[in-house]
């Protein structure tokens, strides 16, 4: 499915550019995008190192185990295949917390770290484990309490009430997250 | 409201203070452990680089060529036949863009908000949609790529299901709250 979507976006883009007589745009876009990929990765290396360094401190001090023990029961129910003291739980909790607070650039390092920990417990290294899928479903449908960026955009566009969409945003993500959790639960049960 | 905004502003400085102090008290060699942990940052960054480039090239070619606008126009009759507001059609490019690219979606949302006004139906809906769903496709490819997963199983379908629910819920709640 990923292969097909990737190919379709590329092919449709090139065909449309050819038909509308802007074929040279394809060259520029492709080159620019490749450069952007490097920029994003390099930037991420810095932030990633910072947070992984702190995460290591938190782990060695027993901080993460503490958080995992407090929030564990609820989170563990979502990840029944993980060991109860799995180091992945700490990274998952940190990632979701960062997402909820809208700290996007802290969320990604914790998320990638969580994937590495989940991979260690994955019996089939090239196939996604149920725990990974649950984690990604939570991660991508997760509630953000303060959608700061979009509030900034609304403020600049002279909205009478830039923050009025916080409530609607929370309700909408709440719906998406609930459906994701239940759908994941039923798929996992059926596949067992 | 102010409390929550305050938490967002203070969260990182407090973590930066709290974790090292706590670790020091627990006799962790703080600086050395920090550096040892940070080492993984570089490896991870290099590992996700090809996935980032692959996705960004495909997405940018699709958007910059104008294909996004054309595909949205194709989908318009489908949404109209469902009995939705004709205004609603303007949101389609954002709905398609949202799972693909964060910065791309923000660009589309910003343009919709400026074009229709932040307090219009489309403006509010774009704002809600932007905040309520994530870049599912992008996150999946990069996260799975970083650990070498090739078979995603039902992950993409589940993520896209959540996005569709997020879209429907956004339309519903914006209608209910403001109209």
């Amino acid at each position: 499915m990923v292969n097909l979507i990737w190919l379709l976006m590329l092919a449709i883009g090139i065909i449309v550019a050819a038909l509308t007589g802007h074929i040279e745009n394809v060259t520029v876009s492709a080159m620019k995008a490749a450069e952007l990929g490097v920029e994003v990765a390099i930037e991420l290396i810095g932030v990633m190192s910072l947070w992984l360094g702190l995460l290591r401190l938190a782990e060695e001090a027993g901080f993460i185990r503490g958080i995992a023990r407090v929030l564990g029961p609820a989170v563990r129910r979502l990840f029944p295949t993980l060991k109860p003291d799995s180091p992945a739980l700490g990274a998952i909790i940190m990632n979701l917390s960062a997402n909820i607070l809208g700290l996007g650039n802290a969320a990604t390092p914790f998320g990638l770290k969580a994937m590495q920990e989940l991979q260690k417990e994955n019996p089939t290294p090239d196939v996604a484990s149920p725990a990974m899928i649950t984690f990604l479903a939570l991660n991508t449908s997760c509630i953000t309490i303060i959608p700061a960026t979009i509030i900034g955009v609304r403020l600049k566009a002279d909205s009478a009430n830039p923050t009025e969409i916080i409530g609607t945003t929370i309700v909408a993500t709440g719906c998406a997250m609930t459906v994701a959790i239940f759908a994941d639960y039923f798929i996992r049960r059926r596949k067992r | 409201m102010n409390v929550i905004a305050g938490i967002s502003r203070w969260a990182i400085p407090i973590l930066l203070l709290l974790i090292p102090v706590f670790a020091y008290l627990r006799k962790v060699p703080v600086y050395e452990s920090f550096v040892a942990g940070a080492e993984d940052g570089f490896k991870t960054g290099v590992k996700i680089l090809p996935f980032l480039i692959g996705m960004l090239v495909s997405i940018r070619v699709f958007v910059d060529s104008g294909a996004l606008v054309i595909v949205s126009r194709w989908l318009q009759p489908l949404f109209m036949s469902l009995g939705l507001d004709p205004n609603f059609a303007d949101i389609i490019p954002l709905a398609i863009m949202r799972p693909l690219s964060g910065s791309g979606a923000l660009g589309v949302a910003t343009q919709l908000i400026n074009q229709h006004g932040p307090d219009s139906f489309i403006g509010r809906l774009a704002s809600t949609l932007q905040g309520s769903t994530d870049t599912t496709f992008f996150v999946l490819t990069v996260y799975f790529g970083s650990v070498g997963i090739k078979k995603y199983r039902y992950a993409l379908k589940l993520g896209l299901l959540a996005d569709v629910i997020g879209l429907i819920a956004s339309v519903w709640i914006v209608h209910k709250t403001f109209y």
Side-chain angles (χ1 to χ4, degrees):
Chain A
M1 197 166 166
V2 180
N3 290 314
L4 186 65
I5 295 178
W6 189 81
L7 177 69
L8 276 179
M9 283 195 296
L10 201 57
I12 293 175
I14 294 171
I15 292 168
V16 168
L19 293 178
T20 52
H22 299 295
I23 194 71
E24 67 284 351
N25 284 4
V26 173
T27 318
V28 179
S29 297
M31 299 295 168
K32 280 256 154 66
E35 277 174 31
L36 183 67
V38 178
E39 268 169 46
V40 173
I42 297 281
E43 268 169 40
L44 196 63
I45 287 174
V47 193
M48 185 93 201
S49 302
L50 169 63
W51 287 107
L52 289 182
L54 275 178
L55 189 65
R56 176 71 66 98
L57 284 185
E59 265 168 10
E60 289 185 8
F63 207 57
I64 297 292
R65 234 176 307 136
I67 297 174
R69 203 174 300 144
V70 175
L71 294 174
V75 179
R76 227 173 285 143
R77 189 157 301 176
L78 291 167
F79 298 97
T81 52
L82 287 187
K83 292 183 208 133
D85 60 340
S86 168
L89 284 176
I92 290 172
I93 290 167
M94 296 298 277
N95 169 267
L96 295 181
S97 313
N99 263 325
I100 290 169
L101 293 175
L103 310 172
N105 63 0
T108 309
F110 290 131
L112 292 170
K113 175 82 179 166
M115 290 301 283
Q116 287 165 8
E117 296 295 341
L118 290 171
Q119 181 69 329
K120 284 181 197 160
E121 295 184 36
N122 183 7
T124 48
D126 66 331
V127 183
S129 69
M132 285 176 177
I133 298 175
T134 306
F135 168 58
L136 286 173
L138 284 178
N139 178 305
T140 56
S141 65
C142 189
I143 291 171
T144 301
I145 300 178
I146 300 283
T149 319
I150 205 71
I151 292 173
V153 172
R154 293 173 58 80
L155 197 67
K156 249 186 252 161
D158 295 323
S159 168
N161 188 358
T163 54
E164 69 182 358
I165 47 84
I166 290 178
T168 53
T169 303
I170 291 176
V171 172
T173 22
C175 293
M177 196 168 177
T178 310
V179 170
I181 289 171
F182 277 101
D184 176 56
Y185 177 76
F186 285 112
I187 295 171
R188 256 188 297 153
R189 249 182 34 164
R190 227 186 45 202
K191 299 228 166 188
R192 203 185 291 156
Chain B
M1 181 49 233
N2 280 329
V3 177
I4 300 171
I7 293 173
S8 288
R9 208 155 54 92
W10 281 85
I12 289 178
I14 286 176
L15 278 178
L16 280 176
L17 177 69
L18 213 64
I19 294 175
V21 168
F22 187 76
Y24 187 78
L25 294 178
R26 284 294 192 89
K27 308 226 168 9
V28 175
V30 280
Y31 177 66
E32 284 152 36
S33 289
F34 176 85
V35 173
E39 220 183 81
D40 291 340
F42 187 75
K43 278 181 234 154
T44 311
V46 171
K47 215 157 182 199
I48 63 169
L49 184 62
F51 301 95
L52 278 171
I53 293 177
M55 285 322 296
L56 284 173
V57 167
S58 173
I59 290 166
R60 282 257 61 96
V61 167
F62 182 70
V63 176
D64 291 352
S65 67
L68 178 65
V69 179
I70 291 175
V71 170
S72 303
R73 223 173 280 152
W74 287 344
L75 290 174
Q76 210 166 311
L78 178 81
F79 283 89
M80 301 294 235
S81 65
L82 291 173
L84 287 163
D85 200 295
N87 267 329
F88 183 77
D90 291 327
I91 209 79
I92 299 172
L94 181 60
I96 298 176
M97 202 59 209
R98 194 67 190 101
L100 296 175
S101 154
S103 56
L106 184 63
V108 177
T110 305
Q111 187 245 321
L112 283 175
I113 288 169
N114 287 324
Q115 184 189 335
H116 294 264
D119 303 321
S120 64
F121 174 68
I122 291 293
R124 284 166 170 156
L125 182 57
S127 307
T128 303
L129 194 62
Q130 179 69 20
S132 66
T133 59
D134 206 340
T135 50
T136 305
F137 192 64
F138 198 77
V139 168
L140 253 61
T141 48
V142 173
Y143 276 36
F144 276 145
S146 75
V147 291
I149 298 283
K150 295 200 179 66
K151 299 197 174 86
Y152 296 6
R153 298 179 67 202
Y154 52 90
L156 190 56
K157 279 177 198 141
L158 188 61
L160 294 178
L161 168 75
D163 288 340
V164 171
I165 299 293
L167 172 63
I168 295 169
S170 297
V171 174
W172 168 74
I173 191 68
V174 169
H175 249 293
K176 203 170 157 60
T177 309
F178 300 114
Y179 300 96

